[in-house]
Amino acid sequence: MKLFSMILVWTVLSTCYGYRILGLFPFHGSSHFVMFEQLMKALARKGHQVDVISTFPLKKSYPNYTNIINLSVPANLVNNMSFDRMLLFSKVQAGYATPYEMGNPLCEYFGNEEMQQLLKNPPNNPPYDVVIIEIFGANCFAAVGHVLNVPIIGASSSALYPWANEYIANPENLAYQPNNLLSFVEDMNFWQRLYNVLHTTYNKWIFRYASNVQTEIIRKYISPDLPDIRELEKKISMILVNSHMSLNGIKSTIPAFVEVGGLHVQEEGVELPASLEKWMNDSKNGFIYFSFGSMVKIESFPAKYLQIFYNSLGKIAPVRVLMKIAKSDELPPGLPGNVHTLSWIPQVKVLKHPNVRAFITHGGLMGTQEAIHYGVPMIGIPLFADQFINIDVGTQKNITIGLNLDTLTEEKMDDALKAILNDPKYREAAKKLSVKFLDRPMNASETAVYWVEYIIKHGADALRSPAMKLTWWQVELLDVYAFLLITALISLYISIVVLRFMFHLVNSNDSVSHKKKVS
């Protein structure tokens, strides 16, 4: 009996290895948090104790997952971006807008009384093993990992923005890797490569400029002795990136750049209303799903665009259309009879349904990945940010028909609908890409959990690139090239001097010989 008890205790101790993990996600964009929530839930399912600080507390309790601080929402972004605001946002450079609107103001959360208590009296039974922060505009939250003296892991809900590669010394070859703010794809011509270099450099510079104030904010609320924001960024051990080579292309990366594209595509806890399920099942001719995401209000679009949608969607009956509209009462009259609107739609359940035939989307990365996951072809109408390149990549791969809002006409919308519904190449390409997207040694959740545990077990520097110890000009070998150039120039100069000397010497000897002959 004693031996059995010892074996039981040893078994329990050997399997209970749970870590305590703090997740800091202050940005109030639900499309971002959907990934982070699934990441933290995956860690919680593995037995780790997960504490989360965000503006999105769980509506239902989840084992090992605790909302320790619920931050107030500075501005409601859910179903609250009008067409005019969307146009204004699309015209601002992302490198400036990201920290100025969605970064610097969030750093003021450090003044929150609960945040202050956490920093001054962090839990120690057990203490935190790692801090996970969003890599977007508020890198100031890396200060928490510095204060707690634990590794800092970043998580990006999009493909990595150009200013974030340097946090982990991830190489970026701008000759064939367009940054994700441009609509270029692979095989760029000379002018595209030139613009890619200039655009990337400018956005990096303006991001640094606009986010420098974060140093002042963290020193104000935490300690005047804190490193500046640029040094804190360099403490990030690894970044979990919502991308995948099947969609985002082949790129040079280091081990600290971990692709977990599609991590958020989970059905757990997603409920499908019986009425919606019946509507989809009854759509015998199939249906098209139409959504511009969690932020943009389609009902706020100018009448000319809504009329194009009305006219074109009405023509495809008896094919039905399921349309996400936050406030259907704000739509103008004339909605076609084959269009069904809802203010909230469980997107993964809809895209998984066998009767869905296409997805009309603005090209948000989350929705794009969900469509790829389930092999659904798309009609893309990009509005801002990385949506343009998402649509262009889909167009290149024949899974998407891209349209431009500025030049949208009823005829172009009609043609796109006819092609996506009747040309099998789009669905076949989408199914083929889906297989490639899902073909991995481990799924996205397992990959994320594995590498988070790896950093905790082996330390903050486990994946750190040696390039982090070098300056940018050393990484680019400019000092080596300069040395070789100077050496070559000195050698050339010496060679010229020696040759001139020898030439002069030979001429002098010839002159002496000539004089002797004459005499």
Side-chain angles (χ1 to χ4, degrees):
M1 186 67 181
K2 184 177 181 181
L3 178 61
F4 175 77
S5 299
M6 292 175 63
I7 294 174
L8 180 63
V9 169
W10 180 85
T11 302
V12 171
L13 290 176
S14 64
T15 56
C16 292
Y17 60 92
Y19 300 115
R20 189 165 191 178
I21 299 170
L22 176 61
L24 286 156
F25 310 111
F27 179 54
H28 42 290
S30 62
S31 60
H32 289 228
F33 188 72
V34 66
M35 173 189 172
F36 308 137
E37 180 181 324
Q38 294 302 332
L39 168 62
M40 303 312 281
K41 283 183 174 179
L43 291 164
R45 286 195 298 272
K46 194 69 184 293
H48 302 303
Q49 183 178 343
V50 171
D51 294 343
V52 177
I53 299 174
S54 77
T55 56
F56 296 97
L58 291 183
K59 296 177 180 178
K60 294 182 180 179
S61 61
Y62 198 87
N64 300 329
Y65 185 121
T66 306
N67 297 296
I68 60 168
I69 301 177
N70 299 325
L71 301 173
S72 59
V73 180
N76 180 22
L77 296 181
V78 179
N79 296 325
N80 199 40
M81 181 176 281
S82 67
F83 180 85
D84 291 337
R85 179 167 172 74
M86 179 271 295
L87 281 183
L88 181 64
F89 184 76
S90 66
K91 293 176 181 177
V92 181
Q93 283 289 343
Y96 180 78
T98 301
Y100 186 76
E101 293 190 13
M102 296 166 283
N104 302 344
L106 303 183
C107 299
E108 296 290 342
Y109 280 128
F110 279 119
N112 180 292
E113 185 177 345
E114 292 177 288
M115 287 288 292
Q116 286 291 310
Q117 285 297 318
L118 176 68
L119 292 169
K120 293 175 182 176
N121 300 293
N124 53 21
N125 188 28
Y128 287 117
D129 295 291
V130 71
V131 168
I132 301 177
I133 66 170
E134 178 177 11
I135 300 300
F136 189 49
N139 299 327
C140 55
F141 287 92
V144 177
H146 176 79
V147 171
L148 299 179
N149 195 29
V150 296
I152 305 161
I153 292 175
S156 174
S157 63
S158 67
L160 214 55
Y161 283 104
W163 50 81
N165 285 292
E166 61 191 39
Y167 305 161
I168 54 174
N170 190 57
E172 51 179 347
N173 191 322
L174 299 176
Y176 67 92
Q177 297 177 9
N179 77 58
N180 65 329
L181 297 173
L182 296 175
S183 59
F184 301 154
V185 291
E186 295 175 1
D187 302 326
M188 295 179 287
N189 60 37
F190 171 79
W191 299 110
Q192 289 173 326
R193 285 185 285 118
L194 174 62
Y195 189 76
N196 188 34
V197 170
L198 297 176
H199 186 272
T200 301
T201 303
Y202 175 72
N203 272 280
K204 285 181 177 180
W205 175 83
I206 201 169
F207 179 89
R208 293 192 197 105
Y209 173 79
S211 62
N212 278 337
V213 69
Q214 294 184 20
T215 298
E216 299 175 20
I217 297 173
I218 57 177
R219 288 176 176 173
K220 170 186 173 183
Y221 289 116
I222 303 175
S223 167
D225 299 324
L226 278 179
D228 66 32
I229 188 63
R230 304 285 83 93
E231 289 301 312
L232 287 173
E233 289 168 346
K234 293 178 182 178
K235 291 180 177 289
I236 295 170
S237 300
M238 174 183 75
I239 302 179
L240 302 171
V241 185
N242 190 24
S243 62
H244 189 259
M245 60 182 179
S246 64
L247 178 63
N248 302 95
I250 305 299
K251 299 178 181 179
S252 302
T253 60
I254 62 169
F257 178 101
V258 179
E259 290 195 306
V260 291
L263 170 65
H264 70 286
V265 187
Q266 305 284 341
E267 294 182 57
E268 181 191 33
V270 180
E271 298 178 0
L272 182 62
S275 58
L276 176 56
E277 184 173 21
K278 182 179 184 305
W279 184 91
M280 292 191 295
N281 290 340
D282 291 343
S283 300
K284 302 304 180 183
N285 294 288
F287 68 92
I288 287 178
Y289 174 49
F290 189 159
S291 173
F292 280 171
S294 62
M295 295 170 59
V296 176
K297 296 175 63 178
I298 296 177
E299 59 271 33
S300 70
F301 276 46
K304 66 175 182 177
Y305 295 119
L306 293 176
Q307 197 59 53
I308 290 172
F309 296 149
Y310 281 16
N311 294 345
S312 294
L313 294 175
K315 294 174 188 175
I316 64 172
V319 176
R320 290 172 155 187
V321 179
L322 177 62
M323 197 171 188
K324 179 190 168 291
I325 298 292
K327 297 180 179 179
S328 57
D329 59 329
E330 294 183 9
L331 284 172
L335 189 70
N338 64 325
V339 178
H340 180 54
T341 65
L342 288 173
S343 59
W344 175 85
I345 295 174
Q347 190 157 283
V348 291
K349 294 284 190 181
V350 171
L351 292 171
K352 184 184 179 181
H353 197 278
N355 287 344
V356 67
R357 297 181 62 180
F359 178 24
I360 299 177
T361 174
H362 63 316
L365 184 59
M366 299 300 180
T368 299
Q369 288 178 340
E370 289 165 5
I372 291 170
H373 184 104
Y374 295 112
V376 180
M378 293 169 276
I379 293 176
I381 308 175
L383 304 177
F384 54 83
D386 62 346
Q387 296 162 13
F388 293 90
I389 194 168
N390 294 339
I391 297 300
D392 285 348
V393 168
T395 301
Q396 184 191 45
K397 296 180 182 296
N398 275 335
I399 65 169
T400 306
I401 297 175
L403 297 174
N404 190 319
L405 193 65
D406 293 335
T407 58
L408 186 64
T409 63
E410 186 176 333
E411 182 181 6
K412 290 180 179 179
M413 192 72 192
D414 288 347
D415 291 343
L417 287 166
K418 289 176 184 176
I420 209 74
L421 290 172
N422 300 316
D423 191 337
K425 75 175 183 181
Y426 295 105
R427 179 163 289 274
E428 290 170 3
K431 292 294 183 185
K432 185 177 180 180
L433 182 59
S434 176
V435 172
K436 194 174 180 181
F437 184 68
L438 298 175
D439 190 1
R440 317 180 193 189
M442 296 186 290
N443 66 36
S445 293
E446 292 168 343
T447 301
V449 170
Y450 173 84
W451 286 108
V452 169
E453 292 175 346
Y454 187 93
I455 290 294
I456 296 173
K457 287 186 287 187
H458 301 295
D461 294 337
L463 300 178
R464 192 175 300 280
S465 169
M468 293 297 293
K469 299 176 183 178
L470 304 176
T471 62
W472 69 269
W473 43 270
Q474 289 174 318
V475 171
E476 298 295 334
L477 291 175
L478 294 185
D479 53 342
V480 173
Y481 296 144
F483 174 80
L484 293 175
L485 177 62
I486 292 171
T487 301
L489 290 174
I490 292 174
S491 300
L492 180 63
Y493 175 75
I494 293 173
S495 299
I496 292 173
V497 170
V498 170
L499 288 172
R500 289 182 65 181
F501 174 76
M502 293 178 65
F503 181 76
H504 178 72
L505 185 63
V506 169
N507 283 344
S508 297
N509 289 337
D510 287 346
S511 177
V512 171
S513 299
H514 179 70
K515 288 180 179 178
K516 286 181 179 180
K517 289 179 179 180
V518 171
S519 62

